[in-house]
Amino acid sequence: MSTLERTRDWLRAHPLALDAALAAGVLVCMVAGSFVDPHGADGTTWGVRTPDVLGLALMVLAATALVFRRRAPMTVLAATVAVSLVELVTGDPRAPVSMSAVVALYTVASSTDRPTTWRVGLVTMTVLTAVAMLAGPLPWYAQENLGVFAWTGMAAAAGDAVRSRRAFVDAIRERAERAERTREEEARRRVAEERLRIARDLHDVVAHHIALVNVQAGVASHVMDKRPDQAKEALAHVREASRSALNELRATVGLLRQSGDPEAPTEPAPGLARLDELADTFRNAGLPVEVARSDHGTVLPAAVDLAAYRVIQEALTNVRKHAGAGAKAEVSVVRVGPNVEVTVLDSGPGQEAVHQEGGGHGLLGMRERVTAIGGSCTAGPRYGGGFRVHAILPVKNRLPAKNHAPALGDPV
């Protein structure tokens, strides 16, 4: 850091010292100006007159007042104007005491708003110029009187320009800081959304496949001694379900890898095209599932397609876990205008307790997933027994792309 920069930083940290130095400089200029005679025989001459004692005293008082110009700008302006008026009326020859009023007016203009600057500036210009013209020893048309008017006007204009530029710079800095905060908040929001999305995917994958593994393992354990062929078939389903779980977990967690990682997932996200395969896994686990579809030919966005698949997967998992023995499930996917309606019904009474307790993470995840793409999801007991999950999904995503997290398998 250079000496000039260190000096500037020190003066910024000690404004009173800066104002004292400015006051001393103004005093030197006023004293030097008092030796100049603008009406000499050969024009403006130097050193042909000396200021009187009153003039020197007024200059010292005015300069002393400028030391406190930042702390009380209006008071300092009033004091310097009063001292200047005394000098304008009594000074002969006149000393440039009004220079202090010019500095004080500049300070007021640079530290207040524009209406205040105009009012105070006009009053100061009018009072000083009027007194100099009407009550001073010089003729009203003397150039010193016009100089008072010009310098006070320029001081007000310069102070207002400095204040405007300072406000402009502060506004730019504030916008930059606000934009930086907004970027940080947006980054945190996207991270939270991504964490929530991955948590939902992990819950759906784990809950579905582990439930199937648990059922098939129980069947294998029950018939191992008496029906080894059936036990072998159940273990094959366990192996298939566990392999599917590992593949989906690898795809979900793989999204956390860097985009250039060769192990990043490249397989497409599951969707309604795999609905029959999903239903077969539950049928193999002993849950009768009927599927009815009337949405053929409908092409869904990846996020909507994944949401429909996950809703059906979670609903059937809940049926298998909570509906009880002998329950049956019905799945329907219907195109209704601009929406696709997904409904999962079951005939078992076991899920009513889950709904009365407010639902687990599965029901909450279904609602969050559907809401994130602009749809709606309801779940509750059916009239006459059983449970119903109903989701309305838009064929076209209603939310801007930047407002929803990417779906599993989407480019990131």
Side-chain angles (χ1 to χ4, degrees), residues 19 22-23 26-27 30 55 57-70 72-89 95-108 120 124-125 127-129 131 148 152 155:
D19 291 339
L22 176 64
V26 172
L27 177 60
M30 289 190 295
L58 293 177
M59 286 186 284
V60 171
L61 288 176
T64 303
L66 291 179
V67 176
F68 308 97
R69 68 187 186 96
R70 294 179 193 262
M74 287 294 187
T75 303
V76 171
L77 176 61
T80 54
V81 168
V83 173
S84 299
L85 291 177
V86 173
E87 174 61 23
L88 291 175
V89 173
V97 180
S98 57
M99 185 184 300
S100 61
V102 171
V103 176
L105 180 59
Y106 166 84
T107 303
V108 171
V120 174
T124 302
M125 292 167 56
V127 170
L128 289 179
T129 306
V131 170
V148 170
T152 51

Side-chain angles (χ1 to χ4, degrees), residues 153-365:
M154 287 189 293
D160 183 70
V162 170
R163 179 198 55 77
S164 299
R165 176 172 176 76
R166 188 183 300 134
F168 177 72
V169 172
D170 292 341
I172 293 178
R173 184 181 296 110
E174 181 182 359
R175 284 197 297 270
E177 293 175 354
R178 184 166 59 249
E180 184 65 25
R181 290 194 300 268
T182 302
R183 283 194 296 269
E184 294 176 356
E185 293 172 357
E186 178 68 13
R188 287 193 295 268
R189 184 186 66 81
R190 288 183 177 273
V191 169
E193 289 180 353
E194 182 66 9
R195 291 176 61 185
L196 179 61
R197 186 192 63 77
I198 294 176
R200 285 198 299 261
D201 285 334
L202 289 175
H203 174 273
D204 293 343
V205 171
V206 172
H208 165 61
H209 291 289
I210 295 303
L212 296 182
V213 168
N214 180 62
V215 171
Q216 296 293 351
V219 171
S221 176
H222 182 69
V223 301
M224 179 67 72
D225 297 330
K226 298 181 180 180
R227 299 177 183 178
D229 294 338
Q230 188 174 353
K232 184 177 180 180
E233 182 181 355
L235 291 176
H237 290 311
V238 169
R239 184 172 62 252
E240 181 65 25
S242 61
R243 183 170 63 249
S244 298
L246 289 175
N247 290 336
E248 291 200 35
L249 285 174
R250 186 180 299 109
T252 302
V253 178
L255 291 178
L256 300 178
R257 298 180 183 272
Q258 298 296 328
S259 58
D261 196 326
E263 298 184 10
T266 57
E267 60 190 41
L272 292 179
R274 296 173 56 182
L275 180 56
D276 292 335
E277 178 184 343
L278 177 66
D280 288 338
T281 61
F282 284 98
R283 295 189 186 107
N284 294 332
L287 175 65
V289 179
E290 295 183 5
V291 178
R293 299 186 62 175
S294 63
D295 65 322
H296 300 291
T298 301
V299 179
L300 298 177
V304 178
D305 199 21
L306 174 62
Y309 179 88
R310 292 302 189 196
V311 167
I312 297 173
Q313 182 185 52
E314 178 62 27
L316 291 177
T317 301
N318 288 338
V319 173
R320 187 66 190 85
K321 292 168 59 177
H322 305 293
K328 297 180 180 180
E330 299 176 5
V331 178
S332 66
V333 182
V334 181
R335 171 71 182 268
V336 180
N339 303 316
V340 169
E341 297 189 9
V342 175
T343 307
V344 180
L345 307 174
D346 70 80
S347 58
Q351 290 199 71
E352 295 183 7
V354 177
H355 180 71
Q356 291 172 359
E357 294 174 359
H361 293 291
L363 295 180
L364 179 60

Side-chain angles (χ1 to χ4, degrees), residues 27-78:
L27 177 60
V28 171
C29 292
M30 289 190 295
V31 172
S34 64
F35 285 91
V36 177
D37 183 9
H39 303 289
D42 299 326
T44 302
T45 56
W46 172 268
V48 297
R49 65 174 185 172
T50 57
D52 55 14
V53 177
L54 179 60
L56 287 173
L58 293 177
M59 286 186 284
V60 171
L61 288 176
T64 303
L66 291 179
V67 176
F68 308 97
R69 68 187 186 96
R70 294 179 193 262
R71 297 185 178 183
M74 287 294 187
T75 303
V76 171
L77 176 61

